[in-house]
Amino acid sequence: MGKLAEQGQFQTIMLEVGHFFIFCSDVKRHADFAQQEGDSSTSLAGCGDGCAIDATLVSQNRVIAVESMGLGSCYIGGIRDRIETIADLLQLPEHVYPVYGLSVGHPAHRNPVKSHFYSSAIYHHNH
């Protein structure tokens, strides 16, 4: 874990929490399909976004579960700062890339709930 923290200029929270998760984007299936179809272009770039969205959805569900157990969490987006280095450190297979880190543990304190936009500011109705 220390080597991971060194690579990403990450917050020390990574070393102080009970658990640290890394959510990855897996585009191997897309790469295999492109190869099968004889596509050697860089058309895989677009599918990475979809896989990153999948990783985001999974991580958000983890946060919901964590919070339901009274634990706290903190996303570590700096994972993306050194994707290749971290992928090598984690010995990820080809076409699998780290997207987010998530620290999970017992919070030292609870931050107050932040105010949000009024629904009239974020919802639009066609008339």
Side-chain angles (χ1 to χ4, degrees), residues 45-99:
C47 76
D49 293 342
C51 294
I53 291 169
D54 290 347
T56 302
L57 294 170
V58 171
S59 68
Q60 184 59 46
N61 283 327
R62 175 66 50 98
V63 168
I64 292 168
V66 160
E67 289 179 355
S68 76
M69 296 184 291
L71 298 172
S73 63
C74 179
Y75 279 105
I76 307 296
I79 291 289
R80 294 184 307 271
D81 293 343
R82 296 215 169 96
I83 289 176
E84 291 178 12
T85 304
I86 293 171
D88 290 344
L89 242 173
L90 297 174
Q91 300 177 348
L92 296 177
E94 187 177 14
H95 302 297
V96 176
Y97 307 98
V99 179

Side-chain angles (χ1 to χ4, degrees), residues 9-73:
Q9 304 167 340
F10 303 127
Q11 297 116 338
T12 57
I13 193 168
M14 287 178 60
L15 303 174
E16 299 170 355
V17 298
H19 299 282
F20 186 75
F21 299 92
I22 295 181
F23 297 90
C24 298
S25 176
D26 183 352
V27 296
K28 180 166 180 9
R29 189 169 71 162
H30 299 284
D32 290 347
F33 179 75
Q35 183 180 18
Q36 175 184 330
E37 295 298 311
D39 184 0
S40 61
S41 69
T42 57
S43 62
L44 286 176
C47 76
D49 293 342
C51 294
I53 291 169
D54 290 347
T56 302
L57 294 170
V58 171
S59 68
Q60 184 59 46
N61 283 327
R62 175 66 50 98
V63 168
I64 292 168
V66 160
E67 289 179 355
S68 76
M69 296 184 291
L71 298 172
S73 63

